[in-house]
Amino acid sequence: MDGGVGGFTELLAQLGITPGTDLAVGGNTPSVPEGTTVLALRFEGGVVIAGDRRSTEGNLVAHRSIRKVFPADDWSAVAIAGTAGLALEMVRLFQTELEHFEKIEGRALTLEGKANYLSRMVRNQLPMAMQGLVVVPLFAGYDHLEEVGRLYTFDVVGGRYEEQEFGSTGSGSRLAKAYLRTTYVGPPTEEEAVALAVKALVSAAQEDMGTGVPDIRRDIFPNVFKIDADGITEVSNAVLEPIAQEALETIR
Amino acid sequence: MTIPFYVPPEQLVRDKAEYARKGIARGRSIVALAYGEGVLILAENPSTTLRKISEVYDRIAFAGAGRFNEFETLRKAGIRQADVTGYMYSRNDVNARGLASAFSQTLGTIFSHEPKPFEVEILLAEIGPEPGQRDLFKVSYDGTVYAETDLVAIGGKADDLTVALRNGWSEGMTLDEATTLGTDAFHTVEDRESEGWEAAVLAPENGRRAFRRLDL
């Protein structure tokens, strides 16, 4: 019986069932679906995190209603860009790890603790990243110690960067950030933050082939979560539809 | 050199069982009882930091009576087994019966092979995905498993508590009624005021993770 420090991933390692994080050197990188634009922004009292629904394989659309934003626990969410299969597995492991810690220790990790743990998970993927299978998450949550929403972006080596206003990851991230840079003036209200998130995704989708626009005919809208002192809630399609409609009608 | 005395296995088992029962009898008891669509777990616990009741998985809770370090070891092992099973297969593939069986094997092996048996009794409660479904298990120091559906008690006064609860329990009680029944049963059996309560419920309205602690 090991001590309390060994987390769930260490337990999997002891059992020999850790998800592989390495590829044979020199092998051809397989063509696999990749997720694209996700973003997060702070509002007064919390943080909004959102992602479009498209995944691509080369210049083809692999899936048009994939989910890229996931609640990590009741107070934080993780969004993913990059190799979808690996990223989804990373999210599942991260979710299990947070819950495992909470149950074993009887209290949840701090937000910074969660962000640091995710950073280590990304760092462990580096051999895969060097082979072209990159996974880069975006992490947002409510910090009970500071009583604010916070968000973190990462790089492929596990570098962790806290963003003060907004952050974005994925192929359309520069376009989304360019949109937010001109429209984000001081912390918005919660409703404004949701609208900004959807509009930034629509804006990014105009020039980035990897980013999907909301598909009203098929009822496919971005996944948007808001996290504040009351915890995490997913913004419903009923709220998103008029915002998406307006964004699609007014975008140039 | 001393020649070891021959001890007949019957006596060895009897002595170990007596030792374990004495240890458990010193500890305070814990009860679990079904109410409405949930399960209430109630423990007499003067400490507000050392827990006897814990969440194990989405719809499964654990409680341990007896030596803290011994049931804490089992609690952590249970959480590990549940999380690994749920991660490898599906969250729906984790159930209390499987965990009760694992605790039973561990405690049974320790009882037979170790010089000192564990002085613990374990309680597992699970509510099912369908309304009204529930399973309660008690695993004793030698690995014996008892399966119940309405109520179960562990610890020193378990038998007396079971009788007291059985007399007052009825299907479809509210949480308040169940709490009153539980605390009254403790007062009757122990014949003194409680030194503090630790309580938790498994309730379907709490969502995927049905476990919530209560303040009494």
Side-chain angles (χ1 to χ4, degrees), chain A residues 66-89:
Chain A
I66 192 178
R67 177 177 277 273
K68 295 181 237 176
V69 189
F70 303 86
D73 59 12
D74 290 344
W75 302 97
S76 62
V78 57
I80 45 148
T83 311
L86 296 178
L88 295 175
E89 181 62 26

Side-chain angles (χ1 to χ4, degrees), chain B residues 77-143:
Chain B
I79 292 171
R80 290 198 177 100
Q81 173 168 330
D83 278 345
V84 169
T85 308
Y87 175 78
M88 275 180 73
Y89 306 106
S90 151
R91 298 197 79 89
N92 297 318
D93 293 318
V94 180
N95 58 48
R97 195 184 50 76
L99 288 170
S101 150
F103 284 139
S104 163
Q105 280 182 15
T106 306
L107 284 170
T109 307
I110 289 169
F111 186 79
S112 315
H113 295 286
E114 301 292 329
K116 187 197 99 58
F118 269 21
E119 299 154 70
V120 293
E121 284 187 320
I122 301 300
L123 186 159
L124 279 171
E126 178 177 34
I127 57 169
E130 303 298 324
Q133 263 184 17
R134 63 200 177 224
D135 280 310
L136 303 174
F137 294 97
K138 166 179 167 174
V139 188
S140 70
Y141 56 87
D142 60 354

Side-chain angles (χ1 to χ4, degrees), chain B residues 18-198:
Chain B
E18 193 184 333
Y19 175 82
R21 271 200 294 267
K22 271 187 187 160
I24 294 162
R26 275 196 293 274
R28 294 178 181 80
S29 306
I30 304 173
V31 299
L33 56 162
Y35 73 90
E37 288 179 1
V39 172
L40 166 73
I41 304 170
L42 188 62
E44 197 192 358
N45 185 357
S47 168
T48 51
T49 46
L50 296 175
R51 302 290 195 190
K52 294 162 182 258
I53 307 172
S54 160
E55 174 186 15
V56 176
Y57 211 64
D58 294 352
R59 297 187 300 266
I60 305 173
F62 168 103
R67 281 184 84 92
F68 179 80
N69 68 316
E70 292 176 350
F71 70 69
E72 181 69 359
T73 302
L74 293 171
R75 182 185 75 90
K76 287 183 175 172
I79 292 171
R80 290 198 177 100
Q81 173 168 330
D83 278 345
V84 169
T85 308
Y87 175 78
M88 275 180 73
Y89 306 106
S90 151
R91 298 197 79 89
N92 297 318
D93 293 318
V94 180
N95 58 48
R97 195 184 50 76
L99 288 170
S101 150
F103 284 139
S104 163
Q105 280 182 15
T106 306
L107 284 170
T109 307
I110 289 169
F111 186 79
S112 315
H113 295 286
E114 301 292 329
K116 187 197 99 58
F118 269 21
E119 299 154 70
V120 293
E121 284 187 320
I122 301 300
L123 186 159
L124 279 171
E126 178 177 34
I127 57 169
E130 303 298 324
Q133 263 184 17
R134 63 200 177 224
D135 280 310
L136 303 174
F137 294 97
K138 166 179 167 174
V139 188
S140 70
Y141 56 87
D142 60 354
T144 317
V145 184
Y146 305 86
E148 299 284 348
T149 51
D150 303 335
L151 55 94
V152 68
I154 59 168
K157 299 274 169 58
D159 293 343
D160 295 342
L161 278 169
T162 307
V163 172
L165 291 173
R166 183 71 64 194
N167 288 335
W169 188 85
S170 61
E171 183 73 51
M173 300 175 89
T174 65
L175 177 56
D176 286 344
E177 287 166 354
T179 311
T180 310
L181 174 62
T183 50
D184 285 353
F186 271 102
H187 290 147
T188 313
V189 169
E190 299 280 359
D191 201 22
R192 60 174 171 78
E193 282 303 301
S194 161
E195 294 173 326
W197 298 111
E198 182 187 347

Side-chain angles (χ1 to χ4, degrees), chain A residues 57-109:
Chain A
E57 208 176 314
N59 57 359
L60 299 175
V61 173
H63 303 277
R64 60 170 162 254
S65 61
I66 192 178
R67 177 177 277 273
K68 295 181 237 176
V69 189
F70 303 86
D73 59 12
D74 290 344
W75 302 97
S76 62
V78 57
I80 45 148
T83 311
L86 296 178
L88 295 175
E89 181 62 26
M90 185 191 280
V91 168
R92 208 160 76 88
L93 191 55
F94 185 55
Q95 289 168 327
T96 310
E97 187 73 63
L98 297 189
E99 191 186 312
H100 187 74
F101 182 96
E102 191 184 327
K103 290 188 293 195
I104 292 278
E105 299 293 326
R107 65 184 169 82
L109 279 168

